[in-house]
Amino acid sequence: MSKNTKRSYQWISFDKDKCISCNKCVDYCPRDVLRLEEDGIPFMKYKDDCWYCDVCSYICPKGAVKLEEVPYLIK
Ligand code: SF4
Ligand code: SF4
């Protein structure tokens, strides 16, 4: 499990204007990938563990989560 910073490439994006910092995406991620940053916006802290399962975007009540380009490793 490697730690990532907010500035490293992330294939899941979070819309700061829509996010209400409810933590649901963090709680429901089956791989425990996400954490809230100090500003209350999620980021992929352990992105190497992501399964690209789409649970985070499904569970978000505000439609703030978007899965971007599929990582090359699972294309
Ligand atoms: S796609 Fe799945 S594994 Fe990846 S961050 Fe979202 S909920 Fe977690
Ligand atoms: S579930 Fe959506 S609104 Fe809640 S913290 Fe995650 S991105 Fe923000």
Side-chain angles (χ1 to χ4, degrees):
M1 180 182 287
S2 61
K3 184 177 176 181
N4 293 279
T5 68
K6 194 175 179 183
R7 285 171 292 282
S8 61
Y9 175 70
Q10 300 178 47
W11 51 89
I12 298 176
S13 64
F14 302 91
D15 189 327
K16 293 184 178 185
D17 294 330
K18 293 180 180 175
C19 178
I20 56 172
S21 304
C22 68
N23 212 54
K24 277 191 174 179
C25 56
V26 177
D27 288 341
Y28 281 83
C29 172
R31 298 288 290 163
D32 200 24
V33 170
L34 307 173
R35 293 291 184 277
L36 295 192
E37 265 286 352
E38 291 175 4
D39 60 3
I41 307 300
F43 76 110
M44 300 179 78
K45 185 167 184 177
Y46 303 105
K47 70 179 184 183
D48 291 346
D49 293 335
C50 176
W51 279 343
Y52 209 79
C53 65
D54 210 18
V55 167
C56 49
S57 65
Y58 177 79
I59 206 70
C60 177
K62 304 301 286 184
V65 184
K66 182 182 176 190
L67 274 65
E68 307 284 359
E69 186 178 347
V70 179
Y72 71 94
L73 287 175
I74 56 174
K75 263 184 182 174

